Amino acid sequence: MQPKIKLPLTPADKVIEFIGWSALIGIWILTLLNYSTLPETIPIHYNGAGEADGYGTKGSILTLPIISSFLFIGLTILNKHPHLFNYPGTINEENAAQQYTLATRLLRLLKLVILIIFGLIVYRTIQNANGISDGLGIWFLPISMGLIFIPIVYYLTKSIQSNKNKKKVYK
């Protein structure tokens, strides 16, 4: 059983949370402000090259902010319980605060990245539906994957290094 401790939010954590909540509200505002001007049929799916390959009713645009909201709120709730996470090493009283801080920061960054990605999809879908642009663009998928995996690799590296450093100190 991993120790339960309460982590205070650092100023950086507060900024990330504020930007995340602002982005979530922004996605809803962008969607609702543009809803009435959308044509009845809009792109609802894009292939790996960023080209629209599926179409649906304009009401489908609401799916993106709804999913964004569930993901963001669910991950926010989960982030309050870092003792439930899986870690690449053993968690004990000595390393719990540092490991939990790294893990909760990662989750905050991933929440923000998810909102950025969903926000861009909403924005580009609105542009595509109104004939202003075509598709998401060829770089959308690789950039999205980078935004997701770079923080994860960084976290895993820091977490493993932290565990190795602790073992050296206590040997």
Side-chain angles (χ1 to χ4, degrees):
M1 181 96 178
Q2 297 173 152
K4 289 184 183 181
I5 60 173
K6 178 127 171 96
L7 291 176
L9 288 179
T10 66
D13 293 328
K14 290 177 184 177
V15 167
I16 295 168
E17 284 293 325
F18 176 78
I19 293 170
W21 282 104
S22 299
L24 182 60
I25 292 167
I27 289 170
W28 277 102
I29 291 171
L30 177 65
T31 303
L32 296 175
L33 286 179
N34 288 283
Y35 184 80
S36 63
T37 63
L38 290 173
E40 288 305 312
T41 301
I42 64 168
I44 60 168
H45 189 269
Y46 299 89
N47 63 22
E51 302 161 339
D53 65 356
Y55 296 86
T57 65
K58 75 179 189 177
S60 302
I61 193 85
L62 297 172
T63 305
L64 294 166
I66 290 169
I67 292 171
S68 298
S69 297
F70 276 112
L71 286 172
F72 187 83
I73 292 167
L75 291 172
T76 297
I77 293 167
L78 178 63
N79 213 17
K80 295 182 184 303
H81 306 283
H83 61 280
L84 299 176
F85 300 177
N86 284 325
Y87 292 88
T90 304
I91 303 298
N92 53 43
E93 294 292 334
E94 291 82 34
N95 69 358
Q98 185 174 19
Q99 291 294 327
Y100 291 179
T101 299
L102 285 170
T104 56
R105 177 83 43 85
L106 170 67
L107 210 51
R108 271 187 196 89
L109 289 171
L110 289 176
K111 287 189 318 183
L112 182 56
V113 165
I114 289 167
L115 289 175
I116 290 168
I117 292 168
F118 273 71
L120 287 171
I121 294 170
V122 168
Y123 177 71
R124 293 295 290 189
T125 297
I126 291 167
Q127 284 189 320
N128 291 328
N130 290 324
I132 297 169
S133 69
D134 188 27
L136 296 175
I138 191 87
W139 290 101
F140 183 80
L141 183 60
I143 289 172
S144 296
M145 292 295 102
L147 286 172
I148 292 168
F149 287 109
I150 289 170
I152 292 172
V153 170
Y154 176 80
Y155 160 74
L156 288 172
T157 303
K158 293 290 277 185
S159 181
I160 291 167
Q161 280 177 344
S162 174
N163 274 342
K164 285 182 182 178
N165 291 339
K166 290 281 183 189
K167 288 177 185 174
K168 287 179 185 176
V169 171
Y170 292 112
K171 278 191 173 183

